[in-house]
Amino acid sequence: MARPNDEVAALLQEYSDLLSIGGGAAYKVRAYEKAARAISGHPQDISVMDADTLRSVPGVGKAIADKVLEYLRTGSVRALDALRDEIPPGVRDLIAIPNLGPRKAATLYHDLGIASTGELVAAIHAGRLREIAGFGARTEENILHGIELTRQHGERVHLDTAMERAEELVERLLSVGGCQRCTHAGSLRRFVETIGDVDVLAAADEPGPLMETFTEREPVEEVIATGETKSSIRTTDGLRIDLRVVPLRAWGAALQYFTGSRAHNIRTREIAGHAGLKLSEYGLFDAETDQLVVSETEEEEVYNRLALPWIPPPLREDRGEIEAARKRELPDLVSETDIRGDLHTHTDLTDGVSPLEDMVATAAERGYAYYAVTDHAPGLPMHRMTDEKVRAQRERVRELDGAYRGMRLLHGSELNIGPDGEVDWPEEFLNGFDVCVASVHTHFDQPREEMTRRLVRACENPCVNIIGHPTARLIGRRPAVDADLDEVFRACARTRTALEINASPRRLDLRDDDILLAKQYGVRFAVDSDAHSAVHLAGLRYGVGTAQRAWLTGEDVINTWPLHQLRRFLRPPS
């Protein structure tokens, strides 16, 4: 099931959006949006909180707390239901279109009566949007692109959503008597950035009890299909999950088969065929006698019988992994345990929801050797950062440095890369930071030449160490900026500027394909969480998965390095 905090946060965000469409006061819209972020990032389970404890969560006042308690008690909120009745479902769908949002959706609804995506497309083609101030040809183009982006994303979910559901289910199935093995497989095991459906594989002599648990307990919304060894469900949050149960003797072959990818499996079946074998989800067999060749239960044995070493799942995309395996040249992939520290995180000083002390304590619990605080700089006025605030934070960081044995603290900033490539603060002020991340946060639609030059100029700034979420994409919400990435990657290599692999499942930026290209230029990378709450520091795993898909080793990733080596990279001797 969804984490109660995330479930309530989604509810409050919906209330905020509907208030905006309905013409609610701006301060109230912002209050519910802020409360949604705070509850999502709060470490404690809000479903067990009383009214007083709820109001202690930053941004949660009495009115919001009352609505949260009403939802937890009854499963609904009367005020939200009233807004849902007032605003047609089609208008609510418009909010999800990238480049639109609640305010523009409200304008379209109130001024033109547009109440569905289909009506919006028709109005654009008829030129009706140009009757409204602020809706020109470029806006129409952006909205149409956003609609196409939404259609492409379709029913797919973000990686973290699928992973959480899969891990909950695997844990539940492992507790069923007779379950010998259970794990997730498919694209989720390969850390693909979005997931269409989740494959879960189990081994048991008697599948019945597993199928009963799978189809009859929460979070099942619908049983799509059920059978003796395969069943499919749709969860209450719309995710399709398929369960397959195999005998233990077939476990290794089944896990290899159901992990995929399809292209990788075609290659392994071809290799088996050339060796006089047949490989399927049921096992590895002699092609002539149909006798089971591999009766061992591990995936490694299947690959060994094909004269290959075990190939890590994130590499199984038929992008050269078979050839590298044959030559015994598979990379020693970076792992989460290799990461010594996080170099891009936020606190409640700007747009985070956890105080500095909580972020530092959670980082220490993760066993980091170093940890950087990088709140936003003044270039984004909504975060209200000032020179005085950042100096005071630096003093507090210095006070906390050494409070957790074995972990050093770095004070940094996430700078905004302006339209011309300039960043916040002059060089003499920036020299006071231990690490500077620079990111694009505005003017996403600059022409290709201008965007390329903007990013290159940021790389050339001697104080910029890392380019954060380099293409600025939001998966399913905002496309990557249009830039000549070859030129940007050349600049990063030339200036010794690392590129971030932003682990937020909404970003996963850089993409694995871009990382593969950047590595050819000799670029280094930083896998960072971009966490805005202590809870989200654990999301680093998704960035590591993306790095693995791109064949990166620990040496490629600067925050696997010892602190003394990292410091030389961040501030090389002149």
Side-chain angles (χ1 to χ4, degrees):
M1 294 180 65
R3 181 172 170 259
N5 294 39
D6 294 334
E7 195 175 323
V8 170
L11 193 85
L12 295 177
Q13 184 61 57
E14 182 187 1
Y15 190 76
S16 172
D17 291 341
L18 295 184
L19 275 177
S20 181
I21 292 175
Y27 78 89
K28 190 177 289 189
V29 171
R30 289 195 298 271
Y32 279 91
E33 186 175 359
K34 182 179 179 181
R37 290 200 309 269
I39 285 176
S40 174
H42 198 69
Q44 276 78 46
D45 182 350
I46 64 158
S47 67
V48 298
M49 291 183 180
D50 58 20
D52 290 339
T53 312
L54 256 179
R55 287 196 293 271
S56 71
V57 177
V60 177
K62 182 179 185 305
I64 294 175
D66 288 346
K67 289 182 177 64
V68 171
L69 291 171
E70 180 186 354
Y71 175 73
L72 294 173
R73 186 176 64 252
T74 68
S76 64
V77 177
R78 283 171 295 175
L80 177 57
D81 290 341
L83 280 174
R84 287 169 173 166
D85 291 340
E86 180 184 327
I87 299 168
V91 179
R92 303 202 293 269
D93 292 341
L94 297 181
I95 299 171
I97 298 173
N99 304 312
L100 197 56
R103 289 182 180 81
K104 287 183 178 178
T107 301
L108 294 172
Y109 176 55
H110 293 300
D111 291 9
L112 297 180
I114 293 172
S116 71
T117 302
E119 290 175 5
L120 175 57
V121 172
I124 290 173
H125 290 317
R128 294 180 61 209
L129 266 63
R130 301 188 189 186
E131 302 169 12
I132 307 174
F135 284 81
R138 187 63 178 268
T139 304
E140 292 176 339
E141 182 183 331
N142 288 340
I143 291 172
L144 288 173
H145 186 72
I147 291 171
E148 180 58 29
L149 198 66
T150 303
R151 286 173 176 162
Q152 289 174 3
H153 193 62
E155 298 296 320
R156 301 182 73 83
V157 302
H158 291 106
L159 185 58
D160 60 330
T161 300
M163 188 69 78
E164 288 166 10
R165 303 300 171 272
E167 289 179 342
E168 288 168 1
L169 181 59
V170 165
E171 184 178 358
R172 179 182 299 171
L173 293 175
L174 282 169
S175 69
V176 175
C179 182
Q180 298 161 315
R181 296 283 183 90
C182 188
T183 190
H184 62 269
S187 57
L188 183 58
R189 190 172 178 229
R190 303 197 316 275
F191 277 88
V192 175
E193 65 186 34
T194 62
I195 306 299
D197 51 66
V198 172
D199 294 298
V200 173
L201 184 68
D205 295 330
E206 295 293 335
L210 290 172
M211 290 300 172
E212 183 177 338
T213 298
F214 177 64
T215 57
E216 295 183 6
R217 291 179 57 183
E218 289 188 9
V220 176
E221 174 75 18
E222 172 192 5
V223 177
I224 300 170
T226 184
E228 185 178 343
T229 60
K230 176 186 175 184
S231 293
S232 301
I233 62 169
R234 193 170 303 281
T235 66
T236 50
D237 50 7
L239 180 62
R240 175 173 174 145
I241 305 179
D242 298 331
L243 171 65
R244 301 168 191 266
V245 182
V246 299
L248 186 59
R249 66 179 180 278
W251 176 259
L255 185 56
Q256 192 278 331
Y257 179 86
F258 287 117
T259 295
S261 67
R262 182 173 181 273
H264 178 85
N265 284 355
I266 288 172
R267 295 293 305 278
T268 54
R269 288 200 297 271
E270 287 174 350
I271 293 170
H274 292 149
L277 303 169
K278 288 192 303 185
L279 177 61
S280 72
E281 65 266 43
Y282 304 109
L284 188 62
F285 301 89
D286 185 284
E288 291 186 3
T289 66
D290 273 343
Q291 181 179 352
L292 184 66
V293 174
V294 172
S295 58
E296 291 85 351
T297 60
E298 302 304 326
E299 220 182 14
E300 287 83 349
E301 183 60 23
V302 174
Y303 280 101
N304 289 342
R305 290 298 182 106
L306 300 178
L308 296 172
W310 180 77
I311 298 176
L315 297 185
R316 300 181 196 176
E317 299 291 349
D318 193 24
R319 295 194 293 200
E321 72 276 9
I322 298 292
E323 290 73 17
R326 281 174 166 160
K327 297 176 183 177
R328 298 303 191 265
E329 293 178 354
L330 287 171
D332 182 11
L333 295 180
V334 63
S335 69
E336 192 172 1
T337 57
D338 293 330
I339 302 294
R340 295 175 186 253
D342 200 331
L343 299 178
H344 180 182
T345 68
H346 298 272
T347 75
D348 60 358
L349 185 63
T350 54
D351 61 340
V353 299
S354 297
L356 171 66
E357 290 77 8
D358 288 357
M359 297 295 287
V360 171
T362 304
E365 289 171 5
R366 292 180 58 78
Y368 287 149
Y370 45 83
Y371 173 72
V373 177
T374 55
D375 274 312
H376 289 285
L380 298 175
M382 72 285 292
H383 299 315
R384 301 178 181 178
M385 177 59 85
T386 65
D387 295 6
E388 292 72 23
K389 284 183 180 180
V390 81
R391 286 194 184 102
Q393 185 187 61
R394 183 174 300 160
E395 288 303 312
R396 182 60 181 145
V397 168
R398 299 297 182 243
E399 290 171 6
L400 289 171
D401 188 23
Y404 295 91
R405 182 173 297 178
M407 186 176 79
R408 299 302 305 272
L409 296 183
L410 306 177
H411 188 237
S413 179
E414 184 183 13
L415 311 172
N416 182 53
I417 303 174
D420 59 356
E422 294 296 325
V423 298
D424 317 70
W425 286 310
E427 184 173 339
E428 57 269 21
F429 194 93
L430 292 176
N431 283 332
F433 290 107
D434 297 311
V435 56
C436 289
V437 180
S439 312
V440 170
H441 295 105
T442 62
H443 300 82
F444 302 111
D445 57 353
Q446 275 187 304
R448 182 180 180 86
E449 242 181 67
E450 292 180 21
M451 184 61 74
T452 302
R453 182 59 190 150
R454 178 182 182 181
L455 289 166
V456 169
R457 285 198 69 189
C459 293
E460 291 172 341
N461 188 310
C463 297
V464 170
N465 308 119
I466 302 166
I467 301 297
H469 43 78
T471 72
R473 72 165 183 167
L474 292 173
I475 298 173
R477 293 284 299 158
R478 184 172 67 218
V481 296
D482 185 12
D484 182 342
L485 292 183
D486 288 274
E487 188 66 26
V488 174
F489 297 161
R490 274 192 288 269
C492 286
R494 172 170 51 84
T495 62
R496 286 172 47 87
T497 305
L499 285 168
E500 182 176 70
I501 302 171
N502 189 293
S504 167
R506 274 63 184 161
R507 291 186 184 276
L508 296 180
D509 181 14
L510 284 172
R511 300 181 311 125
D512 55 350
D513 287 344
D514 296 333
I515 299 167
L516 282 163
L517 176 60
K519 184 176 178 178
Q520 294 177 19
Y521 288 96
V523 175
R524 301 294 192 182
F525 304 88
V527 180
D528 298 323
S529 69
D530 194 3
H532 285 63
S533 80
V535 170
H536 298 143
L537 286 171
L540 193 83
R541 65 192 293 203
Y542 303 112
V544 172
T546 301
Q548 290 176 337
R549 288 179 57 78
W551 295 57
L552 294 192
T553 68
E555 185 55 31
D556 298 314
V557 178
I558 64 172
N559 49 323
T560 68
W561 299 351
L563 182 58
H564 67 86
Q565 183 181 355
L566 175 66
R567 285 192 185 278
R568 284 201 303 271
F569 180 87
L570 297 176
R571 294 286 183 265
S574 54

